[in-house]
């Protein structure tokens, strides 16, 4: 719901913005329409070291068996990504990763090619750097920098649902995290080079002598 702008009057200060009470938890399926109806951008932050939805999917067994995850069959998510990006919209996400990578993070890296081919822009950010940047440390989708969908998980990494809000304080915090994370993250396609460079021991500088 749109808020009426505050009209300044002599001797009256504008109201202070405060976070509202946490919205009720709702099934994630109840907000699926947002992925078709957003106008410009939808942006995702993934912070967890693992997701039960991945481990319970048929692709997990294929991954463990060493199958080529880039050959994943087409699905409704990829189709929608193609439709929305063809309209000039952007679907972006940043995944926090650990050193060393968790098995679930290895799985996501292995299966990202099909998302990229559909039109997503997925980037990676090392968790220690994210903490240095003081980013939000929970999973969310942000639609058009206006609607924030915050995930809720149990201790077994199962998705319980989502909290949906347009509270300006929470949305602003998500926008700030988005901007910082996007600036510092690396493209998924660049990660193999970055990973190799981080694993290589530093070379010692060769001393130089004046003639």
């Amino acid at each position: 719901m749109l808020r009426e702008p505050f009209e300044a009057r002599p001797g009256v200060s504008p109201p202070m913005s405060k976070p509202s009470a946490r919205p009720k938890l709702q099934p994630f399926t109840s907000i699926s329409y947002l992925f078709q109806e957003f106008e410009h951008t939808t942006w995702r932050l993934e912070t967890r070291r693992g997701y039960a939805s991945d481990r319970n999917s048929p692709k997990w067994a294929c991954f463990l068996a060493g199958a080529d995850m880039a050959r994943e069959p087409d699905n409704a998510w990829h189709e929608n990504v193609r439709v929305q990006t063809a309209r000039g919209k952007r679907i972006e996400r940043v995944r926090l990763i650990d050193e060393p990578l968790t098995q679930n993070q290895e799985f996501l890296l292995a299966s990202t090619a099909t998302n990229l081919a559909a039109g997503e822009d997925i980037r990676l950010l090392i968790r220690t750097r994210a903490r240095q940047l003081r980013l939000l440390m929970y999973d969310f989708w942000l639609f058009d920098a206006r609607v924030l969908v915050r995930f809720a998980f149990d201790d077994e990494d199962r998705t319980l649902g989502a909290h949906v809000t347009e509270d300006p304080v929470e949305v602003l915090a998500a926008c700030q995290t988005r901007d910082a994370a996007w600036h510092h993250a690396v493209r998924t396609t660049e990660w193999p080079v970055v990973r190799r460079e981080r694993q290589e021991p530093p070379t010692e500088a060769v001393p130089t002598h004046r003639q």
Side-chain angles (χ1 to χ4, degrees), residues 32 35 48 57 62 69 74 86 103 111 121 144 149 156 166 180 185 188 195-196:
S32 59
F35 292 96
R48 300 184 70 83
S57 75
C62 296
M69 304 301 292
D74 206 13
Q103 188 177 43
S111 56
D121 190 345
D144 294 321
V149 177
E156 301 297 324
E166 294 185 38
T188 302
R195 186 181 192 179
R196 185 168 59 251

Side-chain angles (χ1 to χ4, degrees), residues 133-187:
L133 295 169
R134 298 184 179 181
L135 303 185
L136 296 176
M137 284 295 166
Y138 55 78
D139 282 44
F140 66 81
W141 278 102
L142 181 64
F143 296 88
D144 294 321
R146 182 175 59 85
V147 179
L148 176 65
V149 177
R150 178 173 176 173
F151 287 75
F153 296 92
D154 66 13
D155 293 338
E156 301 297 324
D157 303 320
R158 292 182 293 245
T159 304
L160 300 176
H163 302 281
V164 183
T165 183
E166 294 185 38
D167 180 86
V169 175
E170 292 197 51
V171 169
L172 176 59
C175 288
Q176 291 171 332
T177 282
R178 175 201 60 193
D179 293 348
W182 200 246
H183 178 74
H184 291 277
V186 300
R187 295 181 182 274

Side-chain angles (χ1 to χ4, degrees), residues 22 43-49 51 94-98 105 125-140 148-153 170 173-174 176-178 180-181:
R22 177 59 49 81
W43 192 88
R44 170 86 154 94
L45 180 66
E46 295 181 1
T47 66
R48 300 184 70 83
R49 293 179 171 87
Y51 296 88
V94 165
R95 287 175 172 152
L96 300 192
I97 56 177
D98 296 276
Q105 290 165 355
L125 182 62
I126 296 170
R127 187 179 305 276
T128 52
R129 183 58 176 144
R131 293 194 183 282
Q132 291 170 352
L133 295 169
R134 298 184 179 181
L135 303 185
L136 296 176
M137 284 295 166
Y138 55 78
D139 282 44
F140 66 81
L148 176 65
V149 177
R150 178 173 176 173
F151 287 75
F153 296 92
E170 292 197 51
Q176 291 171 332
T177 282
R178 175 201 60 193

Side-chain angles (χ1 to χ4, degrees), residues 105-124:
Q105 290 165 355
E106 293 278 13
F107 167 81
L108 289 172
L109 276 175
S111 56
T112 295
T114 51
N115 294 67
L116 298 177
E120 277 194 75
D121 190 345
I122 302 176
R123 305 189 183 189
L124 307 173

